[in-house]
Amino acid sequence: MFPVARAAQSLVARGIQHTAVRGAHRKHEPTFHDKYGTMVLLGGASMFTAVWGYVFTTLNVEWGISPVGRVTPSEWR
C-alpha cells in the first residue's frame, strides 16, 4: 500500500473512532419525538376519527341502495 493511501486510511479510521467515542460519552437527552411522539400520534388519530365520524353521520348518505326498480322512465311524447 502506498504511504499516502495508508495515511489517509488511518485518518479516516481515527475520525470514525473519535466520532464513536464522542457519541458514547454523551448523555442522551430526549428529543421532541421521544417526549411527545405517542401523544401526538394518538391525538391525530382521535381527531381523524372524530372529524370523519361527524362527516359520515351528517351526510345522510344511504349506503348500498340500488336504482333498479326505483327509477322509472318517463313517457315518450
Side-chain angles (χ1 to χ4, degrees):
M1 188 180 284
F2 296 110
V4 175
R6 197 172 340 149
Q9 184 181 12
S10 68
L11 281 176
V12 170
R14 261 190 275 152
I16 292 171
Q17 289 172 348
H18 181 69
T19 303
V21 168
R22 189 177 346 134
H25 290 294
R26 201 167 99 192
K27 286 185 179 178
H28 175 70
E29 56 189 36
T31 63
F32 176 83
H33 297 287
D34 293 335
K35 288 181 183 178
Y36 308 111
T38 306
M39 292 308 294
V40 169
L41 181 68
L42 291 176
S46 63
M47 190 69 178
F48 177 86
T49 304
V51 168
W52 281 108
Y54 175 78
V55 168
F56 283 138
T57 56
T58 58
L59 279 180
N60 293 330
V61 175
E62 296 180 17
W63 298 101
I65 63 167
S66 173
V68 175
R70 296 178 186 239
V71 177
T72 56
S74 58
E75 268 315 301
W76 178 259
R77 292 186 180 187

